[in-house]
Amino acid sequence: MQPLHNKVAIVTGGSRGIGAATAILLAKAGADIVINYYSSEKDALNVLAEVEALGRKGKIIQADVRNTEDVKKLVNQSFSEFGKIGILINNANIHFAFKSFMEMNWEEFSYKLNNEMSAAFHLCQEVVPHMEKQGEGKIVLISSGLSRTPSQGFIAHGTAKAAVSTFAKYLAQELGPKNIITNVISPGLVITDATKDQPSESHEMLRSLTPLQRLAKPEDVAGAILGLVADWNKHINGAYIPVNGGMDMS
Ligand SMILES: NC(=O)c1ccc[n+]([C@@H]2O[C@H](COP(=O)([O-])OP(=O)(O)OC[C@H]3O[C@@H](n4cnc5c(N)ncnc54)[C@H](OP(=O)(O)O)[C@@H]3O)[C@@H](O)[C@H]2O)c1
């Protein structure tokens, strides 16, 4: 039996990077997939084709997860299409200003905080009633190692991701009695469109400091996500799981 047999998963930011790899792996594990995208319709259609080639159903839905009405539309359309929602992967990569604290203004800083948390808050509030009705659900929120270990220029990103990590613990506590399991996956550097143009010297430095001696691929993160949402996970709840090859074990 496949670990996600008969399950429906929404993956936000499913058109590229970690979200695309996750959509495909969850489909391989037996789930039908809602592939949310913002602007990359062609990439979303490619992911859909891969999901369908695996014999699963898929649907691409355009929605800006920063926008509350779009989030409602995303969840409503997912439910109309599949009649249930058992898994949410809150992954979409919200833009942030890459600046030091003294160069940044409040608008830039709060833009990332507000949008990152608005997406997580509203998506979870929309899916939880569906999970409650089914008597089970799995939520994974994507954080970042930068939420615990600072790096120059990432103050808005790291602070917003720290909020996501703490938010997840509150959900795990409140929703646990309803058999809804919430966890955080916290990647280190993963080579995606978001990071591929960073200086190669800094990538090489991180690689050499990583016990596994390589940087993560999106599929590495997808594997960790599958481990948390699969039927076999019955008791990991409120966890913060780093995916960094052992680069940071704090
Ligand atoms: N890459 C890393 O090193 C790394 C490390 C730690 C954590 N993370 C986290 O992992 C997650 C995925 O990152 P990634 O590197 O895979 O990103 P990516 O390759 O840049 O892909 C970003 C994805 O997010 C979608 N997206 C962006 N803004 C959106 C919006 N407003 N509404 C809906 N979808 C939106 C994009 O959709 P379109 O293409 O359709 O616009 C795309 O599918 C993010 O939460 C990121 O912070 C990444």
Side-chain angles (χ1 to χ4, degrees), residues 12-19 36-41 43 63-66 90-95 112 116 142-145 157 161 186-195:
T12 70
S15 48
R16 292 183 293 119
I18 292 167
N36 158 246
Y37 72 100
Y38 175 49
S39 57
S40 307
E41 186 180 16
D43 294 293
D64 180 348
V65 296
R66 296 168 298 182
N90 181 66
N91 161 80
N93 193 15
I94 307 297
H95 176 76
K112 174 68 176 176
E116 185 85 33
I142 308 300
S143 182
S144 164
H157 182 65
K161 290 297 196 183
S186 182
L189 177 66
V190 185
I191 303 303
T192 67
D193 292 344
T195 56

Side-chain angles (χ1 to χ4, degrees), residues 128-201:
V128 163
H130 295 290
M131 294 175 174
E132 275 189 82
K133 270 187 214 138
Q134 284 165 226
E136 62 173 6
K138 299 258 174 70
I139 296 171
V140 172
L141 299 149
I142 308 300
S143 182
S144 164
L146 294 164
S147 68
R148 290 194 172 178
T149 307
S151 180
Q152 199 76 38
F154 286 98
I155 186 168
H157 182 65
T159 306
K161 290 297 196 183
V164 168
S165 302
T166 301
F167 175 69
K169 289 191 205 173
Y170 278 89
L171 295 193
Q173 183 185 52
E174 181 174 329
L175 305 176
K178 302 173 195 290
N179 196 28
I180 299 171
I181 285 178
T182 308
N183 288 295
V184 168
I185 287 289
S186 182
L189 177 66
V190 185
I191 303 303
T192 67
D193 292 344
T195 56
K196 65 179 169 31
D197 295 328
Q198 291 171 352
S200 56
E201 307 79 56

Side-chain angles (χ1 to χ4, degrees), residues 61-77 118 122 126:
I61 300 182
Q62 194 284 332
D64 180 348
V65 296
R66 296 168 298 182
N67 178 304
T68 311
E69 289 310 310
D70 272 23
V71 166
K72 284 191 177 141
K73 179 193 81 174
L74 169 63
V75 174
N76 288 341
Q77 286 185 6
S118 174
H122 291 107
E126 290 298 319

